[in-house]
């Protein structure tokens, strides 16, 4: 299994293209009346050139679904991975990892998991593309990452006891090695996803330098704890409509799989992920500055409208009105990818009597990432092979 996982996560990939292999201009422009913001005092055109840096365990799969639907609706060109659902993560991103890429190719949207390299990404998009990402409280992110990935991280296999997470946090240096296979899942995962050194300590001056350099590349940084407010800012930034950002929460875990950390363990997790904490603090501050500029009362009204629209779509689309455990999902088209050795990720059943007017939209809103990528034409042979093997070896 480790050999196959190494094949899915190679340390080296194709040679970089030249610095001149860049996209010179936008390849698609929507008419101004395609989408208009609901409460804007100025006219604007919907943004179609978008880089979404998909971070791990941050509700980013829900954002991905929104982008997939918008891109499909407006026939935009995606930069998609080849043979798998990410761009050879954890290797740094290269243009050559894009499906059917040729030097000079231009794309509208790139949004799958990668280890960020702005210089490479910029070759694929017009210069005025909007760069967006999302962050999450590093304690909750660490808890989610540890419980989701620990069976794929050999470092954790020698941790004894029922509560492996607590054992790790009580003595992280005992179980951690920066050079070990998949160790990046255990420390400052946000820093790693952004292409930075995840083994820097919080007081290292390079941490704040890296954060300030990173902030120059992103036009908007969303915050998972304020997901609805984040989507309203996304809508405003991109000049989209409320219908464009409707969503169902995807890839959520069942509550019994979430570890409840004591205040002492939360403090230890925060210290262990100190670089991520400083990054989160920085972008949380910029986020609330954006909310203040948008207007608190206006934000409250927009969030309420989004909730009404989401509730209406859930009543139309979702059987029994909410997510269910994996074993209860009746149609495999809506069965989300599960972590190694368990079925903790919830999904949905679509109502059998959905009106034809809404059926296609319901299906798209309920479709998990793997199946959506397949619908977009990605072969995913490596991902599916790995999935078959993990399910065959482990009892789920």
């Amino acid at each position: 299994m480790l050999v196959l996982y190494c094949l899915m996560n190679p340390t080296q990939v194709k040679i970089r293209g030249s610095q001149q292999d860049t996209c010179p201009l936008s390849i698609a422009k929507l008419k101004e009346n395609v989408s208009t913001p609901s409460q804007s005092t100025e006219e604007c055109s919907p943004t179609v050139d978008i880089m979404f840096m998909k971070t791990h365990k941050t509700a980013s799969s829900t954002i991905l679904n929104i982008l997939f639907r918008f891109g499909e609706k407006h026939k935009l060109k995606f930069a998609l991975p080849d043979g798998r659902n990410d761009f050879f993560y954890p290797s740094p991103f290269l243009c050559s990892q894009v499906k059917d890429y040729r030097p000079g190719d231009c794309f509208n949207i790139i949004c799958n998991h990668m280890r960020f390299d702005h210089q490479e990404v910029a070759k694929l998009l017009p210069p005025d593309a909007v760069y967006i990402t999302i962050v999450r409280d590093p304690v909750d992110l660490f808890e989610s990452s540890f419980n989701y990935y620990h069976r794929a991280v050999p470092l954790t296999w020698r941790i004894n006891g029922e509560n492996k997470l607590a054992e790790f946090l009580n003595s992280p240096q005992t179980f951690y090695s920066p050079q070990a296979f998949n160790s990046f899942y255990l420390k400052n995962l946000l820093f790693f996803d952004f292409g930075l050194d995840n083994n820097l300590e919080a007081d290292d001056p390079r941490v704040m330098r890296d954060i300030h350099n990173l902030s120059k590349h992103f036009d908007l940084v969303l915050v998972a704890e304020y997901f609805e407010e984040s989507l309203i800012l996304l809508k405003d930034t991109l000049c989209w409509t409320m219908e464009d950002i409707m969503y169902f929460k995807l890839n959520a875990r069942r509550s019994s799989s979430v570890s409840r950390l004591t205040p002492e363990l939360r403090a230890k997790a925060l210290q262990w992920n100190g670089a991520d904490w400083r990054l989160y603090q920085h972008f949380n501050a910029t986020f609330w500055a954006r909310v203040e500029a948008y207007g608190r009362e206006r934000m409250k009204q927009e969030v309420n409208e989004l909730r009404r629209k989401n509730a209406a779509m859930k009543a139309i689309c979702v059987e029994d009105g909410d997510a269910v455990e994996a074993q209860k999902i009746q149609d495999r088209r809506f069965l989300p990818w599960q972590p190694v050795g368990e079925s903790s990720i919830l999904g949905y059943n679509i109502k059998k009597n959905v009106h034809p007017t809404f059926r296609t939209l319901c299906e798209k809103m309920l479709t998990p990432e793997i199946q959506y990528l397949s619908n977009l034409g990605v072969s995913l042979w490596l991902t599916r092979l790995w999935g078959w093997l993990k399910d065959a070896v482990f009892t789920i």
Side-chain angles (χ1 to χ4, degrees), residues 18 23 27 47 70 100 109 113 116 145 211-213 233 240 254 272 278 340 370 372:
S18 69
C23 171
I27 60 172
T47 298
F70 184 88
D100 300 326
I109 299 177
H113 275 308
F116 186 62
S145 176
I211 292 170
H212 287 300
N213 287 338
L233 291 183
W240 287 8
R254 63 167 181 256
W272 178 246
R278 299 199 75 172
V340 176
I370 302 298
Y372 214 130

Side-chain angles (χ1 to χ4, degrees), residues 188-393:
N188 292 316
L189 183 54
L190 282 174
F191 241 61
F192 186 86
D193 279 355
F194 285 120
L196 306 173
D197 184 353
N198 64 309
N199 291 297
L200 295 178
E201 298 302 324
D203 57 357
D204 191 308
R206 289 172 291 180
V207 168
M208 288 311 301
R209 182 201 66 191
D210 288 343
I211 292 170
H212 287 300
N213 287 338
L214 187 67
S215 67
K216 297 174 184 177
H217 297 312
F218 287 94
D219 300 282
L220 177 64
V221 178
L222 313 177
V223 177
E225 285 76 18
Y226 306 99
F227 193 73
E228 293 162 323
E229 292 86 350
S230 292
L231 288 183
I232 299 303
L233 291 183
L234 180 72
K235 176 177 75 74
D236 183 64
T237 300
L238 300 180
C239 189
W240 287 8
T241 67
M242 194 68 75
E243 288 72 22
D244 293 326
I245 62 168
M246 292 188 306
Y247 72 96
F248 298 139
K249 188 176 182 180
L250 301 179
N251 268 24
R253 288 183 293 162
R254 63 167 181 256
S255 58
S256 61
S257 70
V258 179
S259 299
R260 313 297 175 187
L261 298 181
T262 65
E264 180 184 7
L265 286 177
R266 290 190 68 87
K268 290 181 177 181
L270 199 64
Q271 183 178 13
W272 178 246
N273 295 279
D276 271 7
W277 174 236
R278 299 199 75 172
L279 182 144
Y280 179 81
Q281 285 181 304
H282 175 87
F283 287 118
N284 187 56
T286 64
F287 174 83
W288 286 107
R290 294 286 286 266
V291 171
E292 291 294 338
Y294 188 83
R296 293 269 185 165
E297 185 58 34
R298 181 184 173 200
M299 175 63 74
K300 182 179 177 181
Q301 293 173 4
E302 293 276 281
V303 165
N304 287 336
E305 183 183 351
L306 177 60
R307 288 174 178 171
R308 286 193 296 270
K309 287 186 176 294
N310 283 337
M313 286 306 299
K314 185 172 281 191
I316 291 170
C317 302
V318 179
E319 189 73 29
D320 297 326
D322 214 343
V324 297
E325 295 202 10
Q327 296 88 342
K328 297 180 180 180
I329 297 173
Q330 299 163 7
D331 190 332
R332 292 190 64 84
R333 292 181 301 159
F334 308 123
L335 178 65
W337 180 270
Q338 301 295 324
V340 176
E342 60 181 276
S343 289
S344 57
I345 305 301
L346 305 177
Y348 297 91
N349 287 314
I350 190 169
K351 281 189 172 181
K352 296 178 178 61
N353 60 344
V354 176
H355 192 278
T357 304
F358 298 103
R359 181 139 199 116
T360 298
L361 177 58
C362 288
E363 289 176 347
K364 291 183 184 298
M365 292 182 70
L366 296 173
T367 299
E369 174 186 348
I370 302 298
Q371 292 90 323
Y372 214 130
L373 278 171
S374 183
N375 294 342
L376 291 174
V378 180
S379 70
L380 297 174
W381 70 271
L382 265 173
T383 299
R384 295 193 187 282
L385 180 59
W386 166 243
W388 174 84
L389 201 67
K390 75 177 179 66
D391 292 347
V393 172

